[in-house]
Amino acid sequence: IASLALGIVEGRAFPLWGTQSSVGVYLPPLADYLYALPLVLWKSPLSAVLFTGLLNLAGVVLTWWTARRYWGVLAGLVAGALFAANPWAVFYSRQIWQPDLMPPLAMACVATGYAGFLEGRRWAVGAHLALLAAATMTHFTGLALAPVSAALFLIGRRRLPWREVAGGVALGGLLAAPYALYLWRDRAGVLAIIGSATSDGAVADSTAAHYWRTMLTGDGAHALLGAAAADWGTGWFLVERLAAGAVLALLVGGALVGMVRFFQGRRDAATWAALLAALWAAMPLVLFTRHSTPVHLHYLAVALPAAPLLAGALVGAVGGRARAALGGLGGLAAAAQGALSVALLVALGAQVTPGGFGFPLGQQVRAAGEARALAPSAVLLVPGDNATSDEWAAVLGIHFYGVPHRLVDGTRAALFPPEDAALVVAPGAEAGLDAYAVFGAVEDLQEVPGRAGEAPLTVGRLRGGVAPDLVPVGERALLANGVEFLGYRLEGTLAPGETVVWRIGWRLAEAWHNPGRSYHMFNHLLDADGARLAQADGGTLPTHAWQVGDLVVQSFALTIPEDAPPGPYAMRVGMYTFPEMENQPLLDVAGLPAADSVLLGPLEAR
């Protein structure tokens, strides 16, 4: 998301769609445009995280203001405190993610709807419709607000300000236009993805109800600790469950109060506000109890502010000691959940949480700072080099915005720069670091630790101009895509039953490649008669970033079958486009195709 937002800031791209959803369909792009706002001021992921936090803080203030306006001072305090302390609200305000924007957007949408349709504030009607579109264009779950809008229209149908309605619809249409264009242009592909995702048919189960209770009451937040939750104190589990039970009671009580007041004939703004909050809270259950695709917890974030509003409605509906008692219950629940959130933050910052919360941003910031101090450019060794789909590639790429850097999939390649460069190695990409170490290209290595038990980030300096010690190819081996094979290094014992490490070096001699294609390398181990004994294929570097002069060493593991004849052995290497499988032939001195591969051998270990 931050990568797309930076592209908007730089004017490189104005996307019609956002990141891919869990279903496979691309999400609307509005979140990317929203996150571009803080990045205009400070091109760091920290600015986007702070933006998320500030929006959610605004959502808390708006919840307090709305509850206070319709149900009184104590109701406002209870509602605001419960929203602010809900552990899920706390943690959904600390990331760069579309669902993290849903609670404040939903609260703003509902609050303007109340002001416009219940109080007759004309400007708020247009704002409500625009915010409804904004919520939906941020995440599909914004559609859960549509029934609330429909109910508001019914309530205020006799005094609709049509000019403001038209303005809100026009602004909403403008926000939806990019995504609508994408859906129309790629409608066949979108329908195919939806058809595939829903092909197993719909089922009705309790998943949505479980997640509804979890999200709206603040229950189950210990799941953020992953496997480490087993070591958490029993007392905290009790606090979590009791506080969630209190919030659930207040939530249900607020919904019942709205219904009782309605059937008593009290059709004032306070009654409508409570009923609409109940409808808002219930909509995720209506939408997701029967589902054709998996239901996830973050789908319920759109309804999170409805729970504190309903608690406020209950507090405001009673008087005397009952009000004080319910207000005290809400305050105790908020205090307990606030303490729980603090305890979770401390635990998350201190130890690894496998299966739970991800890597803290602080470790990444420290590693990026240390790397920038080493050299003016950087090589980022990551497990997967596609910044649009691979997490570490996207994360580290953002941290090095404005710094010349190259993304290299360390599971298969090592790029040797012509000048000194900083090296950052993400967990899972250590194989590439081994290649640098073998050829003596890396120095000043240091680890940037994370939490206890967590894999560190490794930072070091790559020496520029290192020529890897390889067994030379012999005659020039230039392929049709401009790649020239330089030589190889074989580590291990060349014997039946043994596994060897095969490193093949190449450089981009000519810019003949197609930047829109992906090139893969093949390595065929042959016996003395030319029979294939083993094979290893793999991708190279992101082709759009290839530069003439790039020197790359790629590493593969091959196991020689136990029944293979003894050596000598040879290796046939080459490249092809993927997935088209178009071979890149070896060229002769005249530049004409001479063979479909390069034959190296007899092989010798080094």
Side-chain angles (χ1 to χ4, degrees):
I1 296 172
S3 296
L4 292 170
L6 276 174
I8 295 169
V9 172
E10 295 175 336
R12 289 186 283 107
F14 298 95
L16 300 180
W17 62 88
T19 55
Q20 196 170 29
S21 71
S22 56
V23 175
V25 177
Y26 284 97
L27 290 167
L30 186 59
D32 307 326
Y33 289 91
L34 291 175
Y35 277 118
L37 299 175
L39 291 170
V40 169
L41 303 176
W42 182 23
K43 294 179 176 63
S44 165
L46 287 173
S47 69
V49 172
L50 290 172
F51 178 72
T52 303
L54 288 173
L55 279 185
N56 278 273
L57 179 60
V60 170
V61 173
L62 198 52
T63 301
W64 161 78
W65 180 86
T66 302
R68 183 182 185 278
R69 185 170 186 83
Y70 294 105
W71 304 301
V73 174
L74 183 58
L77 291 174
V78 168
L82 286 175
F83 187 177
N86 184 315
W88 293 109
V90 171
F91 290 99
Y92 271 65
S93 66
R94 293 167 53 83
Q95 303 174 89
I96 306 172
W97 196 25
Q98 294 96 337
D100 295 2
L101 304 179
M102 295 309 294
L105 283 175
M107 188 63 239
C109 178
V110 171
T112 52
Y114 285 1
F117 293 95
L118 302 183
E119 300 183 33
R121 298 177 183 270
R122 300 172 65 92
W123 65 268
V125 172
H128 168 76
L129 293 172
L131 285 164
L132 174 62
T136 305
M137 288 298 102
T138 297
H139 195 270
F140 297 136
T141 54
L143 291 170
L145 298 168
V148 178
S149 295
L152 284 166
F153 263 87
L154 286 174
I155 294 168
R157 63 187 181 279
R158 295 180 180 175
R159 48 194 177 99
L160 288 175
W162 289 108
R163 186 175 63 182
E164 283 73 13
V165 169
V169 170
L171 183 54
L174 186 63
L175 294 174
Y179 193 61
L181 179 59
Y182 154 69
L183 291 177
W184 175 253
R185 278 194 341 190
D186 296 351
R187 57 191 181 277
V190 171
L191 290 173
I193 292 172
I194 294 174
S196 175
T198 59
S199 59
D200 292 336
V203 296
D205 57 27
S206 61
T207 303
H210 169 69
Y211 285 153
W212 181 88
R213 185 183 187 280
T214 298
M215 177 67 72
L216 270 67
T217 68
D219 198 9
H222 65 271
L224 291 164
L225 296 174
D231 301 325
W232 219 32
T234 305
W236 283 119
F237 285 112
L238 182 61
V239 168
E240 180 182 65
R241 185 51 56 90
L242 290 175
V247 174
L248 181 62
L250 293 169
L251 183 165
V252 173
L256 290 174
V257 159
M259 288 186 282
V260 169
R261 288 170 62 96
F262 177 82
F263 287 114
Q264 288 177 342
R266 302 171 66 178
R267 310 293 169 83
D268 56 6
T271 300
W272 287 123
L275 282 175
L276 290 165
L279 176 62
W280 177 16
M283 279 314 301
L285 291 174
V286 175
L287 291 176
F288 301 123
T289 295
R290 181 176 172 82
H291 55 95
S292 301
T293 59
V295 176
H296 301 283
L297 177 64
H298 63 263
Y299 289 6
L300 283 297
V302 66
L304 193 152
L309 275 186
L310 287 169
L314 177 61
V315 171
V318 297
R321 293 181 179 178
R323 174 174 294 186
L326 290 173
L329 178 63
L332 284 174
Q337 291 193 333
L340 181 69
S341 296
V342 171
L344 282 169
L345 285 172
V346 172
L348 288 169
Q351 61 185 334
V352 65
T353 53
F357 204 67
F359 285 95
L361 190 60
Q363 180 195 25
Q364 302 161 20
V365 172
R366 292 196 306 274
E370 293 182 14
R372 290 182 185 212
L374 291 174
S377 62
V379 172
L380 309 179
L381 217 55
V382 289
D385 51 27
N386 187 338
T388 63
S389 59
D390 297 319
E391 183 176 12
W392 274 116
V395 167
L396 290 181
I398 290 297
H399 284 290
F400 283 85
Y401 172 83
V403 176
H405 65 272
R406 302 287 296 276
L407 290 168
V408 178
D409 188 340
T411 65
R412 63 192 183 207
L415 173 68
F416 290 77
E419 299 177 348
D420 283 4
L423 175 69
V424 180
V425 185
E430 294 82 4
L433 180 58
D434 291 342
Y436 287 126
V438 164
F439 296 112
V442 65
E443 57 190 16
D444 299 331
L445 282 177
Q446 54 187 319
E447 292 183 347
V448 179
R451 299 167 294 179
E454 194 163 54
L457 289 167
T458 303
V459 176
R461 185 196 311 273
L462 279 178
R463 294 169 47 225
V466 171
D469 180 21
L470 303 170
V471 177
V473 169
E475 295 184 3
R476 192 182 192 197
L478 182 65
L479 303 184
N481 62 353
V483 166
E484 179 185 3
F485 285 115
L486 302 176
Y488 69 88
R489 181 185 179 100
L490 194 149
E491 301 164 15
T493 303
L494 275 171
E498 298 291 334
T499 297
V500 297
V501 175
W502 168 258
R503 305 188 195 275
I504 180 74
W506 58 270
R507 73 181 182 95
L508 187 64
E510 305 287 349
W512 296 340
H513 62 286
N514 184 340
R517 296 283 185 91
S518 176
Y519 292 95
H520 281 217
M521 179 180 295
F522 63 84
N523 304 269
H524 298 168
L525 180 65
L526 311 177
D527 65 15
D529 296 325
R532 188 186 307 176
L533 300 176
Q535 176 176 345
D537 290 31
T540 55
L541 302 182
T543 318
H544 64 83
W546 281 15
Q547 299 174 12
V548 173
D550 278 351
L551 198 161
V552 179
V553 173
Q554 296 199 231
S555 302
F556 302 88
L558 295 103
T559 299
I560 304 172
E562 292 186 358
D563 59 353
Y569 301 113
M571 191 77 74
R572 183 167 55 226
V573 299
M575 284 190 180
Y576 56 90
T577 62
F578 184 84
E580 298 84 5
M581 306 297 289
E582 294 179 3
N583 181 264
Q584 302 300 298
L586 174 68
L587 304 181
D588 61 20
V589 292
L592 300 175
D596 62 2
S597 59
V598 178
L599 186 63
L600 304 174
L603 301 179
E604 57 182 270
R606 174 171 293 189

